[in-house]
Amino acid sequence: SFNYLGPQAIPDEVTMTWRFVTDTTDRTARVSLARVPKDAKDGELFFVLSDGGTWTVEYAPQLQLEKLQRGE
């Protein structure tokens, strides 16, 4: 999914809380944002959940809104 909240300060880490359809309780994980430049002015952050249940962050310095809107 895609959501734009406007400019946000980049914290050192975030806490992800989620639940799979088959779960009865929430899961949580702390995800480091240390590899994301603190002075980033534009770009994209993607939070990716692996098959093993581990969250990682991917950062791209250029916003590619057109590709997202086309579903690429």
Side-chain angles (χ1 to χ4, degrees):
S1 80
F2 175 78
N3 192 10
Y4 178 69
L5 302 174
Q8 304 287 312
I10 299 172
D12 293 330
E13 68 179 21
V14 296
T15 300
M16 303 295 289
T17 303
W18 76 101
R19 182 187 303 186
F20 294 114
V21 173
T22 57
D23 289 346
T24 57
T25 59
D26 290 344
R27 301 176 188 218
T28 61
R30 291 168 61 153
V31 181
S32 173
L33 298 180
R35 298 181 71 187
V36 179
K38 297 295 182 200
D39 61 347
K41 301 287 184 213
D42 199 359
E44 301 170 324
L45 280 178
F46 294 94
F47 293 88
V48 181
L49 180 61
S50 72
D51 290 338
T54 302
W55 286 95
T56 57
V57 173
E58 296 178 6
Y59 168 71
Q62 299 294 321
L63 185 64
Q64 299 177 20
L65 184 58
E66 296 81 21
K67 285 185 177 183
L68 289 171
Q69 289 174 334
R70 289 193 306 261
E72 294 180 21

